[in-house]
Coordinates of all heavy atoms in Angstrom, one line a residue:
M206 N -24.3 5.4 18.1 CA -23.3 4.6 17.4 C -23.1 3.3 18.1 O -22.9 3.3 19.3 CB -22.0 5.4 17.3 CG -20.9 4.7 16.6 SD -19.8 6.0 16.2 CE -18.3 5.3 16.1
C207 N -23.1 2.3 17.4 CA -22.8 1.0 18.0 C -21.3 0.8 18.3 O -20.5 1.3 17.6 CB -23.3 -0.1 17.1 SG -25.1 -0.1 16.9
W208 N -21.0 0.0 19.3 CA -19.7 -0.2 19.7 C -18.9 -1.0 18.7 O -17.6 -0.9 18.7 CB -19.6 -0.9 21.1 CG -20.2 -2.3 21.0 CD1 -21.5 -2.6 21.3 CD2 -19.5 -3.5 20.7 NE1 -21.7 -3.9 21.2 CE2 -20.5 -4.5 20.8 CE3 -18.3 -3.8 20.4 CZ2 -20.2 -5.8 20.6 CZ3 -18.0 -5.2 20.1 CH2 -19.0 -6.1 20.2
F209 N -19.5 -1.7 17.8 CA -18.8 -2.5 16.8 C -18.5 -1.8 15.5 O -17.9 -2.4 14.6 CB -19.4 -3.9 16.6 CG -20.9 -3.8 16.3 CD1 -21.3 -3.6 15.0 CD2 -21.8 -4.0 17.3 CE1 -22.7 -3.6 14.7 CE2 -23.2 -3.9 17.0 CZ -23.6 -3.7 15.7
F210 N -19.0 -0.6 15.4 CA -18.7 0.2 14.2 C -17.7 1.3 14.6 O -17.8 2.0 15.5 CB -19.9 0.9 13.7 CG -20.9 0.0 13.0 CD1 -22.1 -0.3 13.6 CD2 -20.6 -0.7 11.9 CE1 -23.1 -1.1 13.1 CE2 -21.5 -1.5 11.3 CZ -22.8 -1.8 11.9
E211 N -16.6 1.3 13.8 CA -15.6 2.3 14.0 C -15.8 3.6 13.2 O -16.2 3.5 12.1 CB -14.2 1.7 13.7 CG -13.8 0.6 14.6 CD -12.3 0.3 14.4 OE1 -11.5 1.2 14.2 OE2 -12.0 -0.9 14.4
D212 N -15.5 4.7 13.8 CA -15.6 6.0 13.1 C -14.2 6.4 12.7 O -13.4 6.7 13.5 CB -16.2 7.0 14.1 CG -16.3 8.4 13.4 OD1 -16.3 8.5 12.2 OD2 -16.5 9.4 14.2
D213 N -14.0 6.3 11.4 CA -12.7 6.6 10.8 C -12.4 8.1 10.6 O -11.3 8.5 10.3 CB -12.5 6.0 9.4 CG -12.5 4.5 9.5 OD1 -12.0 3.9 10.5 OD2 -13.0 3.8 8.5
S214 N -13.4 8.9 10.9 CA -13.3 10.3 10.6 C -12.2 11.1 11.4 O -11.6 12.0 10.9 CB -14.6 11.1 10.7 OG -15.1 10.9 12.0
N215 N -11.9 10.6 12.6 CA -11.0 11.3 13.4 C -9.7 10.5 13.7 O -9.0 10.8 14.6 CB -11.6 11.7 14.8 CG -12.7 12.7 14.6 OD1 -12.6 13.6 13.7 ND2 -13.8 12.6 15.4
V216 N -9.5 9.5 12.9 CA -8.4 8.6 13.1 C -7.3 8.9 12.1 O -7.5 9.1 11.0 CB -8.8 7.1 13.0 CG1 -7.6 6.2 13.2 CG2 -9.9 6.8 14.0
E217 N -6.1 9.0 12.6 CA -4.9 9.2 11.7 C -4.3 7.9 11.5 O -4.0 7.1 12.4 CB -3.9 10.1 12.4 CG -4.2 11.6 12.2 CD -4.2 12.0 10.8 OE1 -3.2 11.7 10.1 OE2 -5.1 12.7 10.4
Y218 N -4.0 7.6 10.2 CA -3.3 6.4 9.8 C -2.0 6.6 9.1 O -1.7 7.7 8.7 CB -4.2 5.6 8.7 CG -5.5 5.2 9.3 CD1 -6.7 5.8 9.0 CD2 -5.6 4.0 10.1 CE1 -7.9 5.4 9.6 CE2 -6.8 3.5 10.6 CZ -7.9 4.2 10.3 OH -9.1 3.8 10.8
D219 N -1.2 5.6 9.1 CA 0.1 5.7 8.4 C -0.2 5.3 7.0 O -0.1 4.1 6.6 CB 1.1 4.7 9.1 CG 2.5 4.7 8.4 OD1 2.6 5.3 7.3 OD2 3.4 4.1 9.0
Y220 N -0.6 6.3 6.2 CA -1.0 6.0 4.8 C 0.1 5.6 3.9 O -0.1 4.8 3.0 CB -1.6 7.3 4.2 CG -3.0 7.6 4.9 CD1 -3.0 8.7 5.8 CD2 -4.1 6.9 4.6 CE1 -4.3 9.0 6.4 CE2 -5.3 7.2 5.2 CZ -5.4 8.2 6.1 OH -6.6 8.5 6.7
K221 N 1.3 6.0 4.2 CA 2.5 5.5 3.4 C 2.6 4.0 3.5 O 2.8 3.3 2.6 CB 3.7 6.2 3.8 CG 5.0 5.9 3.0 CD 6.1 6.7 3.5 CE 7.4 6.4 2.7 NZ 8.5 7.2 3.2
R222 N 2.6 3.5 4.8 CA 2.7 2.1 5.0 C 1.5 1.3 4.5 O 1.6 0.2 3.9 CB 2.9 1.8 6.5 CG 3.3 0.5 6.9 CD 3.7 0.4 8.3 NE 2.8 -0.6 8.9 CZ 2.2 -0.6 10.1 NH1 2.4 0.5 10.8 NH2 1.4 -1.5 10.5
L223 N 0.3 1.9 4.7 CA -0.9 1.2 4.2 C -0.8 1.1 2.6 O -1.2 0.1 2.1 CB -2.1 2.0 4.6 CG -3.5 1.5 4.1 CD1 -3.7 0.0 4.6 CD2 -4.6 2.4 4.6
R224 N -0.4 2.2 2.0 CA -0.3 2.2 0.5 C 0.7 1.1 0.1 O 0.4 0.3 -0.8 CB 0.2 3.5 0.0 CG 0.2 3.7 -1.5 CD 0.6 5.0 -2.0 NE -0.1 6.1 -1.3 CZ -1.3 6.6 -1.8 NH1 -1.8 6.1 -2.9 NH2 -1.9 7.6 -1.1
K225 N 1.8 1.0 0.7 CA 2.8 0.0 0.4 C 2.3 -1.4 0.6 O 2.5 -2.3 -0.3 CB 4.1 0.2 1.3 CG 5.2 -0.8 1.0 CD 6.4 -0.4 1.9 CE 7.2 -1.6 2.2 NZ 6.9 -2.3 3.4
D226 N 1.6 -1.7 1.7 CA 1.1 -3.0 2.0 C 0.0 -3.4 1.0 O -0.1 -4.5 0.5 CB 0.5 -3.1 3.4 CG 1.7 -3.1 4.4 OD1 2.9 -3.2 4.0 OD2 1.4 -3.1 5.6
L227 N -0.9 -2.4 0.6 CA -1.9 -2.7 -0.4 C -1.3 -3.0 -1.8 O -1.7 -3.9 -2.5 CB -2.9 -1.5 -0.6 CG -4.0 -1.4 0.4 CD1 -4.7 -0.1 0.4 CD2 -5.0 -2.5 0.2
E228 N -0.2 -2.2 -2.2 CA 0.5 -2.5 -3.4 C 1.1 -3.9 -3.4 O 1.0 -4.6 -4.4 CB 1.6 -1.5 -3.6 CG 1.1 -0.1 -4.1 CD 2.1 0.9 -4.2 OE1 3.2 0.8 -3.5 OE2 1.9 2.0 -4.8
N229 N 1.6 -4.3 -2.3 CA 2.2 -5.7 -2.2 C 1.1 -6.7 -2.2 O 1.3 -7.7 -2.9 CB 3.0 -5.8 -0.8 CG 4.3 -5.1 -0.8 OD1 4.8 -4.8 -1.9 ND2 4.8 -4.7 0.3
E230 N 0.0 -6.5 -1.6 CA -1.1 -7.4 -1.6 C -1.6 -7.6 -3.1 O -1.8 -8.7 -3.5 CB -2.3 -6.9 -0.8 CG -3.6 -7.7 -0.9 CD -3.5 -9.1 -0.3 OE1 -2.6 -9.3 0.5 OE2 -4.3 -10.0 -0.7
Y231 N -1.8 -6.5 -3.8 CA -2.3 -6.6 -5.2 C -1.2 -7.2 -6.1 O -1.5 -7.9 -7.1 CB -2.8 -5.3 -5.7 CG -4.1 -4.9 -5.1 CD1 -4.2 -3.6 -4.6 CD2 -5.1 -5.7 -5.0 CE1 -5.4 -3.2 -4.0 CE2 -6.3 -5.4 -4.4 CZ -6.5 -4.1 -3.9 OH -7.7 -3.7 -3.3
A232 N 0.1 -7.0 -5.8 CA 1.1 -7.6 -6.6 C 1.1 -9.1 -6.4 O 1.3 -9.9 -7.4 CB 2.5 -7.0 -6.2
I233 N 0.9 -9.5 -5.2 CA 0.9 -11.0 -4.9 C -0.4 -11.6 -5.6 O -0.3 -12.7 -6.2 CB 0.8 -11.2 -3.4 CG1 2.2 -10.9 -2.8 CG2 0.4 -12.7 -3.1 CD1 2.2 -10.8 -1.3
Q234 N -1.5 -10.9 -5.5 CA -2.7 -11.4 -6.2 C -2.5 -11.5 -7.7 O -2.9 -12.4 -8.3 CB -3.9 -10.5 -5.9 CG -4.4 -10.6 -4.5 CD -5.7 -9.8 -4.2 OE1 -6.3 -9.3 -5.2 NE2 -5.9 -9.5 -3.0
S235 N -1.8 -10.5 -8.2 CA -1.6 -10.5 -9.7 C -0.7 -11.7 -10.1 O -0.9 -12.3 -11.1 CB -0.9 -9.2 -10.0 OG -0.4 -9.2 -11.4
A236 N 0.3 -11.9 -9.3 CA 1.2 -13.0 -9.6 C 0.6 -14.4 -9.4 O 1.0 -15.4 -10.1 CB 2.5 -12.9 -8.8
T237 N -0.3 -14.5 -8.4 CA -0.8 -15.8 -8.1 C -2.1 -16.2 -8.8 O -2.2 -17.4 -9.3 CB -1.1 -16.0 -6.6 OG1 -2.0 -15.0 -6.1 CG2 0.3 -15.9 -5.8
F238 N -3.1 -15.3 -8.9 CA -4.3 -15.8 -9.5 C -5.1 -14.7 -10.3 O -5.9 -15.1 -11.1 CB -5.3 -16.4 -8.4 CG -5.7 -15.5 -7.3 CD1 -6.8 -14.7 -7.4 CD2 -4.9 -15.4 -6.2 CE1 -7.2 -13.9 -6.4 CE2 -5.3 -14.6 -5.1 CZ -6.4 -13.8 -5.3
S239 N -4.9 -13.5 -10.1 CA -5.8 -12.5 -10.8 C -5.2 -11.9 -12.0 O -5.9 -11.2 -12.8 CB -6.3 -11.4 -9.8 OG -5.2 -10.6 -9.5
G240 N -3.9 -12.1 -12.2 CA -3.2 -11.6 -13.4 C -3.4 -10.1 -13.6 O -3.0 -9.3 -12.7
G241 N -3.9 -9.7 -14.7 CA -3.9 -8.2 -15.1 C -4.8 -7.4 -14.1 O -4.6 -6.3 -13.9
F242 N -5.9 -8.1 -13.6 CA -6.7 -7.3 -12.7 C -6.0 -6.9 -11.4 O -6.1 -5.7 -11.0 CB -8.0 -8.2 -12.3 CG -8.9 -7.5 -11.4 CD1 -9.7 -6.4 -11.9 CD2 -9.1 -7.9 -10.1 CE1 -10.6 -5.8 -11.1 CE2 -10.0 -7.2 -9.3 CZ -10.8 -6.2 -9.8
G243 N -5.2 -7.7 -10.8 CA -4.4 -7.4 -9.7 C -3.4 -6.3 -10.0 O -3.1 -5.4 -9.2
F244 N -2.8 -6.4 -11.2 CA -1.9 -5.4 -11.6 C -2.5 -4.0 -11.7 O -2.0 -3.0 -11.3 CB -1.2 -5.8 -12.9 CG -0.2 -4.8 -13.4 CD1 1.1 -4.8 -12.8 CD2 -0.5 -3.9 -14.5 CE1 2.0 -3.9 -13.3 CE2 0.5 -3.0 -14.9 CZ 1.7 -3.0 -14.3
C245 N -3.7 -4.0 -12.3 CA -4.4 -2.7 -12.4 C -4.8 -2.1 -11.1 O -4.7 -0.9 -10.9 CB -5.7 -2.9 -13.3 SG -5.4 -3.2 -15.0
Q246 N -5.2 -3.0 -10.1 CA -5.5 -2.6 -8.8 C -4.3 -2.0 -8.1 O -4.3 -1.0 -7.4 CB -6.1 -3.7 -8.0 CG -7.6 -4.0 -8.4 CD -8.2 -5.0 -7.5 OE1 -7.8 -6.1 -7.4 NE2 -9.3 -4.5 -6.8
M247 N -3.1 -2.6 -8.4 CA -1.9 -2.2 -7.8 C -1.6 -0.7 -8.3 O -1.2 0.1 -7.5 CB -0.7 -3.1 -8.2 CG 0.6 -2.8 -7.5 SD 1.9 -4.0 -7.9 CE 2.1 -3.8 -9.7
L248 N -1.9 -0.5 -9.6 CA -1.7 0.9 -10.1 C -2.7 1.8 -9.5 O -2.3 3.0 -9.2 CB -1.8 0.9 -11.6 CG -0.7 0.1 -12.4 CD1 -1.0 0.1 -13.9 CD2 0.7 0.6 -12.1
D249 N -3.9 1.4 -9.3 CA -4.9 2.2 -8.6 C -4.5 2.7 -7.3 O -4.7 3.8 -6.8 CB -6.3 1.5 -8.6 CG -6.9 1.3 -9.9 OD1 -6.5 2.0 -10.9 OD2 -7.9 0.5 -10.0
V250 N -3.8 1.8 -6.5 CA -3.4 2.1 -5.2 C -2.4 3.3 -5.2 O -2.4 4.2 -4.4 CB -2.7 0.9 -4.5 CG1 -2.0 1.3 -3.2 CG2 -3.8 -0.2 -4.2
S251 N -1.5 3.3 -6.2 CA -0.5 4.3 -6.3 C -1.1 5.7 -6.5 O -0.5 6.7 -6.1 CB 0.5 4.0 -7.3 OG -0.1 4.0 -8.6
R252 N -2.3 5.8 -7.1 CA -3.0 7.0 -7.4 C -4.1 7.4 -6.4 O -4.7 8.4 -6.4 CB -3.6 7.0 -8.8 CG -2.6 6.8 -9.9 CD -3.3 6.9 -11.2 NE -4.1 5.7 -11.5 CZ -3.8 4.8 -12.4 NH1 -2.7 4.9 -13.1 NH2 -4.6 3.8 -12.5
A253 N -4.4 6.4 -5.5 CA -5.6 6.6 -4.6 C -5.4 7.6 -3.5 O -4.3 7.9 -3.0 CB -5.9 5.2 -3.9
S254 N -6.6 8.3 -3.2 CA -6.6 9.2 -2.1 C -6.5 8.5 -0.8 O -6.7 7.2 -0.8 CB -7.8 10.1 -2.2 OG -9.0 9.3 -1.9
E255 N -6.4 9.2 0.3 CA -6.3 8.5 1.6 C -7.7 7.8 1.9 O -7.7 6.7 2.4 CB -6.0 9.6 2.7 CG -4.6 10.1 2.6 CD -4.3 11.2 3.6 OE1 -5.2 11.7 4.2 OE2 -3.1 11.5 3.7
Q256 N -8.8 8.4 1.5 CA -10.1 7.8 1.8 C -10.3 6.6 0.9 O -10.8 5.6 1.4 CB -11.2 8.8 1.4 CG -11.3 10.0 2.4 CD -10.3 11.1 2.1 OE1 -9.8 11.2 1.0 NE2 -10.0 11.9 3.0
E257 N -9.8 6.6 -0.3 CA -9.8 5.4 -1.2 C -9.0 4.3 -0.7 O -9.3 3.1 -0.8 CB -9.4 5.8 -2.6 CG -10.4 6.7 -3.3 CD -9.9 7.3 -4.6 OE1 -8.7 7.6 -4.7 OE2 -10.7 7.4 -5.6
L258 N -7.8 4.6 -0.1 CA -7.0 3.6 0.5 C -7.7 2.9 1.6 O -7.6 1.7 1.7 CB -5.7 4.2 1.0 CG -4.6 4.7 0.0 CD1 -3.5 5.4 0.8 CD2 -4.1 3.5 -0.8
I259 N -8.4 3.6 2.5 CA -9.1 3.0 3.6 C -10.2 2.1 3.0 O -10.4 0.9 3.5 CB -9.8 4.1 4.4 CG1 -8.7 5.0 5.1 CG2 -10.7 3.5 5.5 CD1 -7.8 4.2 6.1
K260 N -10.9 2.5 2.0 CA -12.0 1.6 1.4 C -11.3 0.4 0.8 O -11.9 -0.7 1.0 CB -12.7 2.4 0.3 CG -13.6 3.5 0.8 CD -14.3 4.2 -0.4 CE -15.1 5.4 0.1 NZ -15.6 6.2 -1.0
M261 N -10.2 0.5 0.1 CA -9.5 -0.7 -0.5 C -9.1 -1.6 0.6 O -9.2 -2.8 0.5 CB -8.3 -0.2 -1.3 CG -8.7 0.6 -2.5 SD -7.2 1.3 -3.3 CE -7.5 0.9 -5.0
A262 N -8.5 -1.1 1.7 CA -8.0 -1.9 2.8 C -9.2 -2.6 3.4 O -9.0 -3.8 3.8 CB -7.3 -1.0 3.8
K263 N -10.3 -2.0 3.6 CA -11.4 -2.6 4.2 C -11.9 -3.8 3.3 O -12.3 -4.8 3.8 CB -12.6 -1.6 4.5 CG -12.3 -0.7 5.7 CD -13.5 0.2 5.9 CE -13.2 1.1 7.1 NZ -14.3 2.0 7.3
R264 N -12.0 -3.5 2.0 CA -12.4 -4.5 1.1 C -11.5 -5.7 1.1 O -12.0 -6.8 0.9 CB -12.5 -3.9 -0.3 CG -13.1 -4.8 -1.4 CD -13.3 -4.1 -2.7 NE -12.0 -3.6 -3.2 CZ -11.8 -2.3 -3.6 NH1 -12.7 -1.4 -3.6 NH2 -10.6 -2.0 -4.1
E265 N -10.2 -5.5 1.3 CA -9.3 -6.6 1.3 C -9.2 -7.3 2.7 O -8.4 -8.2 2.9 CB -7.9 -6.2 0.9 CG -7.9 -5.8 -0.6 CD -8.3 -6.9 -1.5 OE1 -7.9 -8.1 -1.3 OE2 -9.0 -6.6 -2.5
G266 N -9.9 -6.7 3.7 CA -9.9 -7.3 5.0 C -8.7 -7.0 5.9 O -8.4 -7.7 6.8
F267 N -8.1 -5.8 5.6 CA -6.9 -5.4 6.4 C -7.4 -5.0 7.8 O -8.5 -4.4 7.9 CB -6.3 -4.2 5.7 CG -5.3 -4.5 4.6 CD1 -5.6 -5.5 3.7 CD2 -4.1 -3.8 4.5 CE1 -4.7 -5.8 2.7 CE2 -3.2 -4.1 3.5 CZ -3.5 -5.1 2.6
N268 N -6.6 -5.2 8.8 CA -6.8 -4.7 10.1 C -6.3 -3.3 10.2 O -5.1 -3.1 10.4 CB -6.2 -5.6 11.1 CG -6.3 -5.2 12.5 OD1 -7.0 -4.2 12.8 ND2 -5.7 -5.9 13.5
L269 N -7.2 -2.3 10.1 CA -6.8 -0.9 10.1 C -6.2 -0.4 11.4 O -5.4 0.6 11.4 CB -7.9 0.0 9.7 CG -8.3 -0.2 8.2 CD1 -9.6 0.6 7.9 CD2 -7.2 0.2 7.3
R270 N -6.4 -1.1 12.5 CA -5.8 -0.7 13.8 C -4.3 -0.8 13.7 O -3.6 0.0 14.4 CB -6.4 -1.6 14.9 CG -7.8 -1.3 15.2 CD -8.2 -2.2 16.4 NE -9.7 -1.9 16.6 CZ -10.5 -2.8 17.1 NH1 -10.0 -4.0 17.5 NH2 -11.7 -2.5 17.3
K271 N -3.8 -1.7 12.9 CA -2.4 -1.9 12.7 C -1.7 -0.6 12.1 O -0.5 -0.4 12.3 CB -2.2 -3.1 11.8 CG -0.8 -3.4 11.4 CD -0.8 -4.7 10.5 CE 0.3 -4.7 9.6 NZ 0.3 -5.9 8.7
Y272 N -2.5 0.2 11.4 CA -2.0 1.3 10.7 C -2.2 2.7 11.4 O -1.9 3.7 10.9 CB -2.5 1.4 9.3 CG -2.2 0.2 8.5 CD1 -3.0 -0.9 8.4 CD2 -0.9 0.1 7.9 CE1 -2.6 -2.0 7.7 CE2 -0.6 -1.0 7.1 CZ -1.4 -2.1 7.1 OH -1.0 -3.2 6.4
R273 N -2.9 2.6 12.6 CA -3.1 3.8 13.3 C -1.8 4.4 13.9 O -0.9 3.7 14.2 CB -4.0 3.6 14.5 CG -5.5 3.3 14.1 CD -6.3 3.2 15.3 NE -7.7 3.0 14.9 CZ -8.7 2.9 15.8 NH1 -8.5 3.1 17.1 NH2 -9.9 2.8 15.3
K274 N -1.8 5.8 13.9 CA -0.6 6.5 14.4 C -0.8 6.7 15.9 O -1.9 6.8 16.4 CB -0.5 7.8 13.7 CG 0.1 7.6 12.3 CD 0.4 9.0 11.8 CE 1.2 8.8 10.5 NZ 1.6 10.1 9.9

């Protein structure tokens, strides 16, 4: 394993805070430029599993270290 790849399998995250921050991010995107698409993504966050939250956060460029417990 390379030092620049993180292994998420044994890391605990504050999923409640991550979910809230992702919902806020998509709400802002919805209001500013993406409209309905951002709104739909915001709804997806509310139903997402923990693994899906991690994928969404990575896609949006979130610093996941901030959410480690």
Side-chain angles (χ1 to χ4, degrees):
M206 180 163 152
C207 294
W208 62 271
F209 51 86
F210 290 111
E211 291 190 43
D212 180 16
D213 293 328
S214 60
N215 295 324
V216 179
E217 278 296 313
Y218 293 103
D219 183 348
Y220 292 105
K221 183 177 178 180
R222 193 170 119 221
L223 180 58
R224 187 179 307 274
K225 181 179 151 263
D226 287 353
L227 277 167
E228 286 174 339
N229 288 338
E230 173 67 22
Y231 289 132
I233 290 167
Q234 287 182 19
S235 173
T237 57
F238 61 89
S239 69
F242 182 68
F244 182 75
C245 289
Q246 286 187 299
M247 187 176 64
L248 295 176
D249 289 343
V250 169
S251 66
R252 298 184 288 250
S254 68
E255 292 175 349
Q256 293 80 19
E257 291 170 323
L258 287 175
I259 296 297
K260 288 179 188 175
M261 293 169 134
K263 285 180 178 180
R264 187 174 58 233
E265 293 302 322
F267 278 41
N268 178 3
L269 291 176
R270 289 182 183 153
K271 174 178 155 181
Y272 298 94
R273 286 185 177 187
K274 285 188 173 184

